[in-house]
Amino acid sequence: MKIYQIIYNSAPSTLSGGTGFGVTRISEGTPKEYMETVKNSSALRTYKAGKFNIASDALVKSPERIFEYPVGYYYKVVQVKEKPVYVLGRLVNACFDHSFYVTGKYTRPGNYVAHVLMSEQPFDKKVFSLLSDEVKNENIHFIPKDWTPSQANAEMVELMTGKPNDSMPVLSDESIDFPLALDAKALDLLFSYRLALKENKAIMVSLKDAITANIMANFMNLLPDSLVKDATFVINHQEISYAQDAKISVVNEYFVGTIYPNLCTHIDLINDNRQKDKVEEIWRPLMEQAIKDNDAVKYNKLVNWVFSPMSDDCLGLSSDLNEALFNYSQDPSLFTLATVDADNEILKVLSKYAATGGVT
């Protein structure tokens, strides 16, 4: 799997030869159409801070305060030459224009850095570990690592004033390790997302900015593999309404709009205001235990079951019968008549399970 990198920011010279905002870094061999897609789509390259703001003078005195600004991430699918291309990006506020790194004097604020990853193949869910500051992948990470606006910051000086180039490596997901993490908020979102999918509406998630990226990284890692490709999202969404080009809009405390529940499914993880059901009651403890045991095989079987129709079909059964049916589906030797009451309902469910080929 090839993942091409593109950097977009304001610089004295871009790869197209102009001054100002443009593509400044790419991987060797990046298709020209990918570069054009980033240049022509504001949704892939524009940073928004919402209600949050720090005065320019304060940033000059304390450049480390740039990290107080929310960081934007997104995962989208765009059409390039009528083919789907998978796009994962990070947007950070760089504040001052490129001239600041030469003269030390700031003029206009509003500079930002967009680091965009693009692939013609769907991302493996471990790629989303890039969102997490709890998982360190030395071979693959967003650039810059440090975006403090300071002439003492060599990384930013090079990015803002260096010559544009195509020396960034083409990335691969082969060297990424992203273990399952017992993240309560990510599990909250996982079960709420399951219910939200049934409503077939846009999904808006409210999360505190400081914890959002880690939670979303873990959420994507907890999803069944079959659902990752379509779980598109925008983090730090600051528009008036939900994102038109992603399934999930994640908003923070600086969101400038209004959430209308009749237009979308709202999952409020700031105030823990979300819908819960018996499926969560039955299966969440088993999933949490599998994560604690570092048993990824069992966890994946459980989450596939939870997102399958079988979890709803069995809601009228007891927790014990639900678990017995799950055990039967995974290993028939675990399922004996001694473990189940003589119950016509379980027999009906088993018949349906057998007729549909089961859930793996």
Side-chain angles (χ1 to χ4, degrees), residues 136-342:
K136 304 302 180 186
N137 291 308
E138 293 304 319
N139 296 324
I140 177 171
H141 55 80
F142 282 118
I143 296 172
K145 287 185 175 181
D146 177 5
W147 56 96
T148 50
S150 167
Q151 287 182 296
N153 184 346
E155 185 178 18
M156 284 296 285
V157 170
E158 172 60 25
L159 189 61
M160 293 296 167
T161 64
K163 293 182 179 180
N165 62 71
D166 63 353
S167 63
M168 298 182 75
V170 176
L171 302 176
S172 169
D173 60 6
E174 294 177 359
S175 61
I176 301 175
D177 181 34
F178 192 15
L180 293 172
L182 188 55
D183 183 327
K185 288 285 189 183
L187 280 167
D188 289 347
L189 180 54
L190 182 80
F191 282 100
S192 293
Y193 182 66
R194 174 190 168 274
L195 291 174
L197 290 177
K198 298 179 183 180
E199 298 187 14
N200 197 30
K201 294 194 295 187
I203 300 169
M204 295 194 75
V205 179
S206 297
L207 273 169
K208 284 284 189 179
D209 172 63
I211 61 175
T212 295
N214 286 331
I215 289 170
M216 286 299 293
N218 287 326
F219 163 72
M220 295 298 286
N221 200 27
L222 292 170
L223 275 177
D225 290 333
S226 60
L227 298 184
V228 171
K229 181 181 72 170
D230 297 321
T232 53
F233 59 77
V234 179
I235 296 175
N236 184 30
H237 180 69
Q238 303 290 4
E239 301 293 342
I240 298 300
S241 184
Y242 54 82
Q244 301 292 324
D245 55 355
K247 182 169 290 185
I248 308 170
S249 303
V250 185
V251 301
N252 55 32
E253 58 267 42
Y254 311 118
F255 177 55
V256 297
T258 302
I259 298 174
Y260 297 99
N262 60 315
L263 299 178
C264 65
T265 300
H266 183 208
I267 303 170
D268 184 355
L269 297 183
I270 293 179
N271 300 301
D272 195 26
N273 183 11
R274 65 185 187 90
Q275 186 179 354
K276 303 175 186 179
D277 69 350
K278 190 177 179 182
V279 168
E280 180 173 354
E281 177 187 330
I282 294 171
W283 297 108
R284 181 165 180 158
L286 295 174
M287 292 165 67
E288 289 178 342
Q289 190 59 52
I291 297 171
K292 288 179 181 177
D293 294 340
N294 196 30
D295 190 343
V297 172
K298 183 172 184 179
Y299 172 82
N300 287 325
K301 290 179 178 179
L302 285 164
V303 76
N304 283 330
W305 183 273
V306 164
F307 276 84
S308 77
M310 296 300 291
S311 62
D312 283 321
D313 290 345
C314 300
L315 279 179
L317 306 178
S318 69
S319 296
D320 289 341
L321 289 178
N322 268 273
E323 188 173 354
L325 179 58
F326 171 78
N327 288 338
Y328 173 80
S329 76
Q330 307 307 317
D331 183 354
S333 67
L334 295 172
F335 182 88
T336 66
L337 292 178
T339 64
V340 183
D341 296 331

